[in-house]
Amino acid sequence: MSTPPPPDAPLDTRALVEPVDRAAARAHHRELRRRARAGRARTGSSVGSRVLARVLGTTLLALLLALAVFVVGAVLALVVVGLVAAGVAVPVAVGLVAAGVVAVGLLVARGVRRSSAREHEQSYRLSLFAAANGFDVVPRVDEPDLPSGAFHLGILRVARNVVRTGGRRPVEVATYTYSAGYRNGEPFAFTYAMVGLDRTLPRVVVETAPARGLRGARAPRGVERVWELPVDGPFGDRHRAYGPVRSPAGTARAVFPPEVVESLVRGPLPLAAEVAGDRLFLFSEHALDLLDPAVWERLLGDGHRPGRAAVPLGRARRPGHRARHPVTTAAGTRDAVGSGPEIWENGRP
């Protein structure tokens, strides 16, 4: 567990931008791999099942490699035949093809190495950031069990670089990816922030619509959009709200006060929001750069300047903090319940 900072301290984002030791980043990656192997060894699966899984995986990999070698070999042979037919000597044609293969291989290897180095650096920076701010970080969570429908769609569902806290009001920020049977199997990705609420509220979704060259933010696929609700406030025309079937007209206002709806649309990074039970989710349309301090300022806010962020949770997101005064923000919708035309108790009108 990380040591919590002072409750009133702002987010310490230095680890996200300051230079880091690449050797330390590689050592951190090796430690994560060691922990992952140890965790798999402690699982309840039998030795026989683990051996069977490894044999099947190795066999499948060998078959895929053999198929790839066959296809690439056939293509290269056709290229050589074409060059010879064009009047190029056979040794020269073979040499040109071999040189091309080597050049492509080197470029691919260089790209893979750079990509791995960036991933290792990101993981290391996030671990330092989490330690400085009292969070825990988990490199990967397969099929996260979260109440929003956004996390129950498709296959290969993975949350990566999960920065979170536990306790009565858990907080979680991560990048989530999944694949579906369309868009040529290309994975979908978005960044989300989740915070626990003090009570169960009606399921309400608020989306930001694009307008006059400004970007919008739709909630991910899988989020229920059942019954459209009116949205109050100066930016009501840029939002769409949805709630349970036959929800009263004031449902959206009761859960999301106008100042919170307004905060979702302000700034260069619009957000969508969903309340699911006792959890509040914020969604971006695309994956965000978690090494950008502005992203964390937008998602988590600053304890000293709670009005600047979309969800100004202040130190309520930090372990050991207790709010000094009530807030009427997206994370504090419990305080705003009843301010609208409908009063909600335990999620029921």
Side-chain angles (χ1 to χ4, degrees):
M1 293 293 291
S2 301
T3 302
D8 292 331
L11 283 172
D12 184 352
T13 60
R14 290 175 298 174
L16 302 177
V17 295
E18 290 182 348
V20 296
D21 185 357
R22 292 185 178 180
R26 291 193 296 268
H28 177 260
H29 175 68
R30 289 194 296 268
E31 176 63 17
L32 291 179
R33 292 184 60 183
R34 185 192 66 78
R35 293 179 184 176
R37 288 195 297 267
R40 288 193 296 267
R42 288 194 300 267
T43 58
S45 58
S46 64
V47 175
S49 63
R50 291 200 298 267
V51 171
L52 179 61
R54 177 163 294 185
V55 170
L56 291 177
T58 304
T59 303
L60 178 61
L61 180 61
L63 290 175
L64 292 176
L65 287 176
L67 179 62
V69 169
F70 174 77
V71 172
V72 173
V75 171
L76 294 178
L78 291 176
V79 172
V80 171
V81 170
L83 291 175
V84 171
V88 179
V90 174
V92 176
V94 173
L96 289 175
V97 171
V101 170
V102 170
V104 171
L106 290 175
L107 290 175
V108 170
R110 184 179 181 183
V112 169
R113 184 176 179 181
R114 286 186 173 182
S115 177
S116 271
R118 284 195 298 268
E119 290 179 1
H120 299 168
E121 179 182 335
Q122 182 184 43
S123 177
Y124 181 58
R125 286 182 180 275
L126 287 177
S127 69
L128 297 177
F129 168 77
N133 292 281
F135 298 116
D136 296 316
V137 60
V138 180
R140 175 187 177 111
V141 176
D142 294 305
E143 299 185 358
D145 186 17
L146 298 173
S148 172
F151 303 96
H152 301 277
L153 180 67
I155 60 174
L156 304 177
R157 305 190 300 271
V158 180
R160 291 181 170 84
N161 297 317
V162 182
V163 178
R164 63 189 180 187
T165 66
R168 185 174 60 89
R169 293 187 63 198
V171 175
E172 185 169 305
V173 176
T175 296
Y176 179 78
T177 61
Y178 70 95
S179 295
Y182 46 93
R183 210 171 72 169
N184 297 323
E186 180 182 352
F188 295 85
F190 59 85
T191 298
Y192 70 90
M194 181 205 75
V195 64
L197 304 176
D198 286 346
R199 63 190 301 180
T200 299
L201 296 175
R203 182 181 296 273
V204 174
V205 179
V206 176
E207 298 181 325
T208 303
R212 295 188 295 274
L214 300 175
R215 292 185 299 171
R218 285 179 53 85
R221 293 170 176 82
V223 173
E224 297 179 2
R225 302 171 180 85
V226 179
W227 189 269
E228 188 165 357
L229 300 168
V231 180
D232 299 327
F235 292 91
D237 59 338
R238 285 206 59 193
H239 289 93
R240 299 292 182 270
Y242 304 89
V245 175
R246 301 191 182 280
S247 299
T251 302
R253 181 184 179 91
V255 177
F256 288 101
E259 61 270 22
V260 176
V261 174
E262 181 180 346
S263 71
L264 294 174
V265 75
R266 283 186 169 177
L269 179 60
L271 299 168
E274 178 189 19
V275 168
D278 62 348
R279 295 291 187 269
L280 166 70
F281 292 91
L282 290 179
F283 299 109
S284 66
E285 273 205 333
H286 308 288
L288 304 178
D289 181 8
L290 293 183
L291 296 185
D292 184 357
V295 169
W296 291 96
E297 173 73 12
R298 180 71 164 136
L299 294 177
L300 297 189
D302 189 311
H304 294 301
R305 293 162 293 173
R308 290 184 53 189
V311 181
L313 303 179
R315 299 299 72 164
R317 289 186 176 268
R318 297 289 186 82
H321 174 65
R322 296 294 181 270
R324 298 182 177 177
H325 52 81
V327 290
T328 54
T329 64
T333 48
R334 63 193 184 282
D335 303 306
V337 170
S339 62
E342 299 291 337
I343 305 297
W344 298 89
E345 284 293 339
N346 298 322
R348 295 187 178 90

